[in-house]
Amino acid sequence: MNDYHLSKNFTVGELCRSQTAARLGRRVEPTDAQLFAMEYHCTQVLQPIRDLLGCAVIVTSGLRPEWLNKKIGGSDNSQHMTGNATDFVVRGDLRDAMIEIIQSDIPYDQIIYEFDEWIHVSSSTEPRLEILTAYSSGGMRPKTVYEKGLVDVRSSS
């Protein structure tokens, strides 16, 4: 099942890989509904991003069953749990990649430039095309702040 291609360049194993799950001695195995969602996500959003950028899209987080999402402190309504979201990095300038994706006609539901470290992208049959930037508020008890649009937080670091 891990070698099953969801699209030309993405496999089930790649989207189910989790360092946290491995440390816990658990596996991430998709349900039929999650597998269907992952295939839709890869064919409609992730593969078009790879084709647009012309380089490897390295998935750092894909499917997260509820137990895993809770373990890492993910959002209670995370699209990772349904198989409709991935976090990824690319070689080269991540911000430039984000701009290219935003300017394309790829039907993402939500795209988040997170902490100047990775991009979160999700899919939906009714895409919102929502663009956000996530960064830490700093301070004694830092919180994640989400701002609408692609905000340059590097200059304020």
Side-chain angles (χ1 to χ4, degrees), residues 23-43:
R23 276 193 293 274
L24 296 171
R26 297 189 67 179
R27 293 176 52 126
V28 175
E29 296 183 24
T31 64
D32 288 344
Q34 289 166 331
L35 188 60
F36 181 79
M38 289 164 53
E39 192 160 17
Y40 178 86
H41 178 67
C42 286
T43 60

Side-chain angles (χ1 to χ4, degrees), residues 22-69:
R23 276 193 293 274
L24 296 171
R26 297 189 67 179
R27 293 176 52 126
V28 175
E29 296 183 24
T31 64
D32 288 344
Q34 289 166 331
L35 188 60
F36 181 79
M38 289 164 53
E39 192 160 17
Y40 178 86
H41 178 67
C42 286
T43 60
Q44 300 303 306
V45 177
L46 208 54
Q47 185 66 48
I49 287 173
R50 188 198 188 288
D51 295 344
L52 171 74
L53 299 176
C55 67
V57 170
I58 303 154
V59 175
T60 58
S61 182
L63 178 65
R64 291 187 208 143
E66 188 175 351
W67 63 266
L68 179 57
N69 195 60

Side-chain angles (χ1 to χ4, degrees), residues 36 40 79 84 107 109 123-128:
F36 181 79
Y40 178 86
Q79 288 173 292
N84 290 97
D109 183 49
S123 58
S124 171
T125 55
E126 296 180 24
R128 296 174 287 173

Side-chain angles (χ1 to χ4, degrees), residues 84-119:
N84 290 97
T86 49
D87 297 340
F88 68 89
V89 295
V90 295
R91 288 185 176 84
D93 191 295
L94 196 60
R95 188 175 180 82
D96 288 347
M98 178 84 169
I99 291 167
E100 277 191 68
I101 296 164
I102 292 168
Q103 292 175 344
S104 76
D105 61 355
I106 295 170
Y108 57 83
D109 183 49
Q110 186 180 61
I111 190 165
I112 308 172
Y113 188 68
E114 298 203 52
F115 307 98
D116 200 28
E117 294 287 331
W118 69 88
I119 295 173

